[in-house]
Amino acid sequence: MDSQPSCVVVTGFGPFRQHLVNSSWEAVKELSKLGLNSDVEVELRILQLPVDYREVKQRVTRIWEGLQPQLSVHIGLDASAKAIVLEQCAKNRGYRDADIWGFRPARGECLPDGPEVIASEVSMKAVSKRVAVEGVEVTFSRDAGRYVCDYTYYLSLHHGNGCAVLIHVPPLSRWLPASLLGKALQVIIQAMLEELRKPNLEAWFAENSTAAIPAQGNQLGDCFREN
């Protein structure tokens, strides 16, 4: 049996609009100091992405073709958020807001003829319920906002067959410093890696047991369900 990839890529975004310090990248830098602290040997790779549709498209492709990570974790800033938000799915169309160069994707879409929605293999609802981070709430969402974060997520889910996640973080503040966000990311990514391993464990038990294992809910359908 082939060994599982042992790399996790975590990206944050650079400055945009009035956000000269992007909390997503500050959080990723803090995470790199802490490491993943995983019980399985996993290498952490970090990368800053510009808020640039065309450059993101190239870099996401290179991540999946070159590094082939076990999981690609994209961190983005949501200026209006008060909690850390785990995004379940990404949308193909509706990208009308310009990036830092004033560029908008043709027809406002990621991939011509791509599916309207792609869902992550990770259940964000399950992760949000199991993690506890002192000082900040962790919740989940099914609408990632139709900007460069969502665009990045869609492309990463497409190239990675669902083995990608998007986490939106609030702006930095006195009550929410980068150090706390970095620790929160460590805890959340640990839980996500455990969620990803669940189907493998279930398949093993199915092969080695006569007992049936209940199927998980349809995550693509979850994207259209009301909170």
Side-chain angles (χ1 to χ4, degrees):
M1 188 175 72
D2 292 333
S3 60
Q4 285 292 312
S6 58
C7 162
V8 170
V9 173
V10 182
T11 72
F13 285 94
F16 72 107
R17 296 176 183 162
Q18 74 272 28
H19 306 289
L20 301 181
V21 175
N22 192 319
S23 61
S24 70
W25 181 239
E26 298 306 307
V28 171
K29 288 191 292 185
E30 288 295 324
L31 173 66
S32 72
K33 297 176 190 174
L34 296 170
L36 291 176
N37 196 27
S38 174
D39 57 348
V40 176
E41 193 63 34
V42 178
E43 181 186 0
L44 171 63
R45 301 281 194 97
I46 69 167
L47 177 70
Q48 187 186 76
L49 299 175
V51 182
D52 175 337
Y53 291 109
R54 290 168 291 190
E55 186 64 26
V56 153
K57 197 165 203 170
Q58 292 179 18
R59 294 198 192 183
V60 168
T61 303
R62 287 203 296 267
I63 285 170
W64 285 105
E65 289 180 353
L67 297 174
Q68 299 181 332
Q70 180 178 344
L71 181 67
S72 190
V73 181
H74 305 288
I75 315 300
L77 164 65
D78 181 348
S80 63
K82 298 289 186 276
I84 293 174
V85 183
L86 315 181
E87 303 290 353
Q88 184 62 64
C89 49
K91 310 295 196 314
N92 190 25
R93 296 179 180 85
Y95 296 92
R96 298 183 181 89
D97 289 340
D99 65 16
I100 57 172
W101 302 111
F103 177 81
R104 296 174 180 82
R107 296 176 299 281
E109 65 184 7
C110 294
L111 294 175
D113 305 318
E116 190 60 41
V117 179
I118 306 179
S120 175
E121 287 293 310
V122 178
S123 169
M124 304 305 168
K125 186 175 184 179
V127 172
S128 67
K129 283 184 173 180
R130 69 184 287 188
V131 299
V133 181
E134 190 175 351
V136 61
E137 182 188 358
V138 179
T139 184
F140 73 100
S141 156
R142 299 183 182 99
D143 185 353
R146 308 297 213 294
Y147 193 43
V148 180
C149 296
D150 201 348
Y151 186 87
T152 301
Y153 191 23
Y154 185 92
L155 294 170
S156 197
L157 287 167
H158 168 75
H159 288 293
N161 294 316
C163 290
V165 298
L166 172 62
I167 301 172
H168 270 126
V169 296
L172 299 179
S173 67
R174 220 167 81 198
W175 300 275
L176 193 60
S179 56
L180 177 53
L181 284 178
K183 180 60 184 173
L185 291 183
Q186 184 192 56
V187 172
I188 291 165
I189 294 170
Q190 282 177 21
M192 288 175 166
L193 289 172
E194 288 166 15
E195 277 292 312
L196 268 184
R197 291 185 203 120
K198 272 186 180 178
N200 293 334
L201 289 171
E202 289 174 355
W204 186 90
F205 281 118
E207 287 173 8
N208 293 276
S209 171
T210 55
I213 296 168
Q216 291 183 342
N218 183 324
Q219 290 176 339
L220 186 58
D222 286 347
C223 290
F224 297 98
R225 197 179 303 151
E226 293 296 324
N227 284 331

